[in-house]
Amino acid sequence: MAAVAVWAVAFLAAVYVLWPAGLPVGFLLLLAFPLVAMPLIALESTLRSLSWLWAVCVLTFAGGAALAAAETEGGAFWTLCGVLLGLAVGGAGLAAAPYLVRKGRELDRLIAPDSLEYQVFNVPGAGLDGDLSRQVVARESAAGLERLARLDGVRIVHALMAPQPSGRAPHYVEHVVLRGDRLAVVMARRW
């Protein structure tokens, strides 16, 4: 919340410094409302998902900007709009930052620190209970892939199963090989 207060002070300072002399102050309300409301909406999880609130903010700012542009001459107004829009994006980023940090920390707690040193994750054929032939194929193909683990930066993940929609047959990926920005998905089958 302190970050939003600092942002609000920066916003007001920018408005004070950059407000065009011939522009009526009434336009300030049309511009200020959405720029103050957007970070507050982003902070509140129940409001964040209401797209109509975001639309009201954008339309109010755009309408105020269009009316004010018609009233002023020169580029002073567009400089003000650019700065205010930049501050709005920065304010929304400030509001979203705690949420993103919290999500990152949740992910950090899910992964044991020592597992970051692993090169091979999971057991080949895991999750294929009752399907012995597929387990054998998964283990045989994994034996060939394990040699890749000797290469620097290679990570091998065995037995991936994505969340499945109810009533559908499960989709299963036997192996995934990662190295740098490359990903290989290996589906082992014996025909």
Side-chain angles (χ1 to χ4, degrees):
M1 199 62 161
V4 173
V6 169
W7 175 85
V9 169
F11 168 76
L12 292 174
V15 168
Y16 179 77
V17 170
L18 296 171
W19 192 256
L23 191 61
V25 179
F27 287 115
L28 177 61
L29 294 175
L30 289 172
L31 299 175
F33 165 73
L35 296 177
V36 172
M38 284 171 38
L40 296 174
I41 291 169
L43 278 173
E44 180 59 42
S45 61
T46 56
L47 298 177
R48 195 178 311 131
S49 63
L50 300 175
S51 57
W52 68 269
L53 277 175
W54 295 101
V56 166
C57 290
V58 169
L59 291 174
T60 303
F61 183 84
L67 289 171
E71 293 288 323
T72 59
E73 293 179 16
F77 174 73
W78 293 112
T79 302
L80 173 68
C81 282
V83 169
L84 294 182
L85 195 57
L87 284 170
V89 170
L94 281 175
Y99 171 77
L100 297 174
V101 169
R102 190 171 44 252
K103 285 295 183 186
R105 288 183 180 153
E106 287 174 13
L107 287 174
D108 287 346
R109 282 192 293 271
L110 292 174
I111 300 172
D114 63 332
S115 71
L116 297 176
E117 300 298 319
Y118 296 167
Q119 284 190 282
V120 178
F121 298 85
N122 210 351
V123 178
L128 290 175
D129 301 332
D131 195 346
L132 188 59
S133 64
R134 283 192 68 190
Q135 286 180 4
V136 169
V137 170
R139 287 189 197 112
E140 288 173 355
S141 59
L145 290 174
E146 300 280 330
R147 288 179 274 159
L148 292 175
R150 293 185 213 133
L151 297 172
D152 286 338
V154 169
R155 301 290 185 261
I156 299 172
V157 183
H158 298 295
L160 294 174
M161 189 175 297
Q164 306 296 317
S166 62
R168 293 220 174 158
H171 298 286
Y172 185 87
V173 175
E174 280 76 16
H175 320 284
V176 173
V177 181
L178 302 159
R179 185 175 189 202
D181 62 351
R182 295 176 186 213
L183 169 83
V185 177
V186 180
M187 303 202 41
R189 300 288 187 268
R190 181 178 289 159
W191 301 99

